[in-house]
Amino acid sequence: MSFYYLARAIHIMAGVVGFTSLWLPLVARKGSSLHRRVGWVYVVAMGVVAITGLIISSWRFLQGPEHQAHALFFMFLSVMSGSSASMGVRVLRTKSRTTAHRHPFDLGLSALTLGLGLFTGAWGLVNDVPLLWGFAPVGILQGAASLRYWLRPPQERMHWWFQHMGAMVGSGIATLTAVLVVNARHLGIEGMQLAVFLGPTLVGVPGLKLWERYYQGKFAAKSKSPRPDRAPPPAHAQHSRVASES
C-alpha cells in the first residue's frame, strides 16, 4: 500500500471517529468528565484528520488542474478544522492570562488559517471557482479573529469560555462541511454548489451566537447575585450584643 492510500485510510477512520464524537460534548454538562473525555477524543481525531487531510490534498493539488479546486478546498478545511480544535484546547490552558499571548504555535496556526484563506479566495477568483472565493471569507475571518484574540489582553472575565465554545463549534462546522462535500454526489448534488456547502456555516454561526448570548446572560446574573462578605453571627451572639447595648 502506498503512502497516499495509507494516509487516506487513516484520514477516513479518524474522520468517522471525529464526526461521531462531535455531538456528545455539545449536549453534555460543560466541564463534566464526559464532556472532557469525549472532547479529547474529538480533538485528537481532528488533529489526525487535519494532518492526513493536508497530505492527501497537497498530493492531489500537485497532480494537475482537474484536481486542484477540490484539493485546495479540502486543504483549506483541514487547516480550519485543525486550527479551531487546537484553539479550543489552548484557550483553556491559557485562561488565566492577563496579557497578550505570543506563543509561536498558536500565532502560527492562526496566521496559516488567515494566509491560506486569502490564497484560496484569490485562487478561486482567478480560476472562477465560486465555492473557493465564496467560502474563503469564513477562514479569513477565523484566522483574523484568532490572531486578534491572542495578541490582545483578555477583554472579559470569561473570555476563555466563549473562545472555547466558538473554536469547537467552528471546528464542527468545518467537519460537517467536509462530510457534505465528500458525500455530495451520493445526495444528488452535482458540482461545487456554494449555497449547499455554506449550509453548516449559515446555520452554525447564528446558533453559536444565540448560545453565547445565553451564557452571557447566565454569567451576568451570577455576577449580580448578592454575596455577603461574611456569614451572620450566631443567634446567641446577636442576643448577647443586644443585651449589652441595652
Side-chain angles (χ1 to χ4, degrees):
M1 180 182 292
S2 68
F3 182 73
Y4 171 81
Y5 287 105
L6 176 61
R8 187 170 179 268
I10 296 174
H11 180 80
I12 293 173
M13 289 187 292
V16 171
V17 174
F19 184 75
T20 304
S21 59
L22 166 64
W23 310 100
L24 192 54
L26 295 176
V27 298
R29 184 171 61 86
K30 304 301 175 282
S32 65
S33 177
L34 179 63
H35 177 88
R36 293 195 304 269
R37 290 177 181 177
V38 180
W40 268 113
V41 171
Y42 174 77
V43 169
V44 172
M46 293 315 300
V48 175
V49 167
I51 293 171
T52 54
L54 276 176
I55 294 172
I56 296 168
S57 301
S58 299
W59 185 87
R60 288 182 63 83
F61 187 83
L62 297 174
Q63 297 309 299
E66 67 274 15
H67 302 294
Q68 288 181 337
H70 276 88
L72 182 56
F73 183 72
F74 282 110
M75 193 185 306
F76 187 36
L77 281 179
S78 296
V79 170
M80 285 180 59
S81 60
S83 178
S84 294
S86 172
M87 187 169 187
V89 173
R90 297 287 291 174
V91 295
L92 299 180
R93 300 292 179 86
T94 59
K95 64 182 181 181
S96 60
R97 71 181 180 95
T98 57
T99 60
H101 176 77
R102 293 186 172 87
H103 195 286
F105 178 79
D106 300 314
L107 294 181
L109 276 181
S110 300
L112 177 62
T113 304
L114 174 60
L116 189 56
L118 293 171
F119 175 79
T120 300
W123 199 94
L125 287 171
V126 170
N127 293 277
D128 192 25
V129 183
L131 179 62
L132 296 183
W133 58 254
F135 195 79
V138 178
I140 294 172
L141 291 175
Q142 175 186 317
S146 299
L147 283 173
R148 183 171 180 266
Y149 172 76
W150 290 128
L151 292 174
R152 296 178 65 197
Q155 303 297 303
E156 54 186 354
R157 184 174 62 89
M158 299 294 290
H159 62 94
W160 54 271
W161 178 285
F162 296 107
Q163 288 296 325
H164 174 74
M165 285 176 54
M168 300 311 291
V169 170
S171 179
I173 289 173
T175 301
L176 289 174
T177 303
V179 171
L180 183 59
V181 173
V182 168
N183 294 281
R185 64 180 182 275
H186 302 301
L187 300 174
I189 302 173
E190 300 295 334
M192 304 180 79
Q193 303 297 326
L194 176 62
V196 175
F197 299 145
L198 276 177
T201 300
L202 296 177
V203 174
V205 172
L208 173 62
K209 295 304 178 183
L210 291 174
W211 204 13
E212 288 178 346
R213 288 184 62 182
Y214 166 76
Y215 278 106
Q216 286 170 349
K218 187 175 181 179
F219 293 146
K222 284 185 177 181
S223 64
K224 292 178 181 179
S225 60
R227 293 184 178 180
D229 294 334
R230 58 183 181 180
H236 68 274
Q238 295 182 22
H239 178 73
S240 300
R241 181 173 57 82
V242 173
S244 63
E245 289 176 354
S246 60

